[in-house]
Amino acid sequence: MELSLGSLPFGLDFHPSDQLVAAALITGDLHLYRYNADSPPQKLLDLHAHEESCRAVRFVNGGQAMLTGSTDRSILATDVETGATIARLEDSHEDAIYSLINVTESTVASGDDQGCIKVWDTRQRTLCNSFDAHEEYVSDMTFAADAMKLLGTRCLTEILTCLNFALSSGDGTLSVCNLRKNTVQTRSEFSEEELTSVVLMKNGRKVVCGSQSGTVLLYSWGYFKDCSDRFVGLSPNSVDALLKLDEDRVITGSENGLISLVGILPNRIIQPIAEHSEYPIESLALSHDRKFLGSISHDSMLKLWDLDDILKGSGNNISQAAESDSDGDDMDVDNKDYLLLCTNYDMIPGGHLHVIFIDGSGTLPSAHIMTVTVPVLCPYTAPSLLP
């Protein structure tokens, strides 16, 4: 299924329990569609939500409302049934909002163009936390409910929840923020890769980041100074979107419009899923029943792919990746703290040790090339918090 949105889309999200999908557009418009496998999608709402670009959309409060974030620095809550405005928070950030993510059913996190991350209670309509975690825009976030961790990137930020918050950023660094103590707990060394997307895999033991060079970087949880592994099979096309399918497989969206299924540890391209267009993939999302994969691109099209047909038989090709993961260390979770993980990008020469593993046959698989940063002790000051 596919439909024309009429303008460049930036954000995409599926309803948590119904066959509804929302798209945020560069024009500031918000579209809501009802989809069905047996009929074309039906447009339910077409709202001019913001005067400037609408960059992100998320269903909240059990799907009763939609939140949108804009370059005009506002966050808007819209009723799903009526399209009426529930609340508008003007000047929610000092800079343009770039990303928005669900943390819990009634909590969301937003990231802006200057690396500031804020956590909001959508029911109380109050600010819970604020972090100046990065120096550039937060572009992607992901949340892991079993570990309460939030991860993100500075060029893209994803939030993972498990009592921890993790983020990645365009400045090429990965940071962990403690939500209860309102402090940045740790931050990775600057990477030569500009991080664009992030997900948590392997039951919380691995943080997987996409980059503009097309390299997929793997970090071991708790060891964020440098990545523990690199996969270059998608290079040189930028990996602009990551979507976790399960603990061993991730769906990638690249700047050449290709959508691929990639295995993590062992690292390899399992199969191409689809070609959305010749333009970059802006966002990927799964329907609530995991039957449909949604993709948006710079061709102004929303496409829904039937995952049952596309992935039929692919599970039989997956090795027991968990057994292949040499790290074997479980994620250390402190149930008393909420942590936020972020990433950033910067060019810093030196300080890297390249370790190459060659098996008995003499082959050199890319999955076994690691780059490790030699530890350097340096003073650290937690950033001040916004009121």
Side-chain angles (χ1 to χ4, degrees):
M1 290 185 287
E2 63 181 55
L3 54 97
S4 175
L5 298 172
S7 299
L8 174 64
F10 280 148
L12 171 70
D13 197 28
F14 282 93
H15 192 277
S17 60
D18 202 355
Q19 292 181 312
L20 300 175
V21 60
L25 308 183
I26 192 174
T27 56
D29 293 344
L30 171 64
H31 289 186
L32 179 66
Y33 298 89
R34 179 171 294 280
Y35 62 91
N36 191 295
D38 302 324
S39 60
Q42 174 190 3
K43 183 186 288 185
L44 301 181
L45 294 176
D46 186 348
L47 307 172
H48 189 62
H50 300 273
E51 291 303 317
E52 297 182 25
S53 172
C54 187
R55 283 180 167 178
V57 58
R58 287 291 181 268
F59 286 94
V60 296
N61 297 347
Q64 298 179 26
M66 294 176 288
L67 286 188
T68 50
S70 171
T71 55
D72 63 12
R73 301 181 297 166
S74 70
I75 296 177
L76 173 68
T78 302
D79 187 273
V80 170
E81 292 293 332
T82 66
T85 296
I86 300 173
R88 183 187 294 271
L89 183 60
E90 301 286 357
D91 299 324
S92 60
H93 281 254
E94 294 185 0
D95 294 278
I97 296 173
Y98 198 98
S99 56
L100 193 64
I101 191 75
N102 296 82
V103 179
T104 66
E105 183 177 323
S106 60
T107 311
V108 298
S110 55
D112 67 26
D113 279 357
Q114 292 300 317
C116 177
I117 300 151
K118 294 187 177 184
V119 182
W120 308 87
D121 187 319
T122 59
R123 291 178 178 170
Q124 298 296 325
R125 303 179 187 178
T126 57
L127 178 64
C128 303
N129 300 86
S130 181
F131 300 94
D132 289 328
H134 295 287
E135 299 176 359
E136 295 184 17
Y137 63 101
V138 178
S139 56
D140 193 23
M141 297 181 282
T142 190
F143 184 78
D146 60 337
M148 293 302 294
K149 293 186 173 62
L150 178 63
L151 286 81
T153 58
R154 183 190 169 195
C155 178
L156 263 177
T157 303
E158 296 184 1
I159 300 174
L160 310 165
T161 67
C162 211
L163 292 177
N164 295 333
F165 216 143
L167 307 165
S168 60
S169 168
D171 58 11
T173 63
L174 188 66
S175 4
V176 180
C177 300
N178 190 305
L179 298 188
R180 290 198 177 180
K181 298 178 181 178
N182 285 313
T183 58
V184 177
Q185 180 166 310
T186 186
R187 181 175 292 149
S188 71
E189 300 289 340
F190 287 99
S191 170
E192 296 179 0
E193 306 284 352
E194 182 170 347
L195 305 180
T196 58
S197 45
V198 56
V199 293
L200 187 63
M201 309 267 305
K202 297 293 183 179
N203 299 308
R205 289 181 291 117
K206 292 294 180 180
V207 178
V208 181
C209 297
S211 70
Q212 279 199 344
S213 69
T215 301
V216 176
L217 287 73
L218 277 67
Y219 291 82
S220 295
W221 186 264
Y223 302 91
F224 300 117
K225 291 302 180 182
D226 197 6
C227 65
S228 61
D229 208 348
R230 296 171 183 259
F231 174 61
V232 298
L234 298 169
S235 299
N237 297 293
S238 174
V239 178
D240 295 328
L242 291 177
L243 180 64
K244 178 179 175 178
L245 182 62
D246 53 37
E247 297 302 329
D248 303 319
R249 298 177 295 176
V250 63
I251 299 172
T252 65
S254 300
E255 66 174 342
N256 59 358
L258 292 179
I259 304 172
S260 304
L261 182 65
V262 174
I264 299 298
L265 294 174
N267 304 329
R268 69 189 191 282
I269 298 176
I270 298 171
Q271 69 177 85
I273 290 179
E275 182 177 5
H276 182 110
S277 69
E278 61 181 343
Y279 302 106
I281 300 295
E282 189 67 34
S283 182
L284 299 169
L286 284 175
S287 62
H288 70 94
D289 54 7
R290 301 173 66 86
K291 290 184 177 180
F292 290 98
L293 167 68
S295 62
I296 53 175
S297 177
H298 293 188
D299 64 350
S300 301
M301 300 293 292
L302 166 61
K303 296 187 179 182
L304 302 180
W305 311 91
D306 190 328
L307 276 183
D308 288 340
D309 290 340
I310 293 175
L311 300 181
K312 189 176 296 183
S314 66
N316 298 330
N317 298 324
I318 304 298
S319 302
Q320 299 298 323
E323 297 179 4
S324 302
D325 185 357
S326 59
D327 263 0
D329 52 331
D330 292 332
M331 180 170 55
D332 184 14
V333 177
D334 183 355
N335 292 326
K336 297 181 180 179
D337 293 329
Y338 290 82
L339 303 179
L340 178 66
L341 176 65
C342 315
T343 61
N344 255 347
Y345 175 75
D346 224 354
M347 297 292 290
I348 293 184
H352 293 92
L353 171 66
H354 297 278
V355 183
I356 301 177
F357 295 91
I358 304 177
D359 62 23
S361 64
T363 60
L364 183 61
S366 60
H368 294 153
I369 301 177
M370 296 197 309
T371 303
V372 181
T373 299
V374 178
V376 177
L377 296 178
C378 58
Y380 172 75
T381 303
S384 61
L385 299 174
L386 297 180

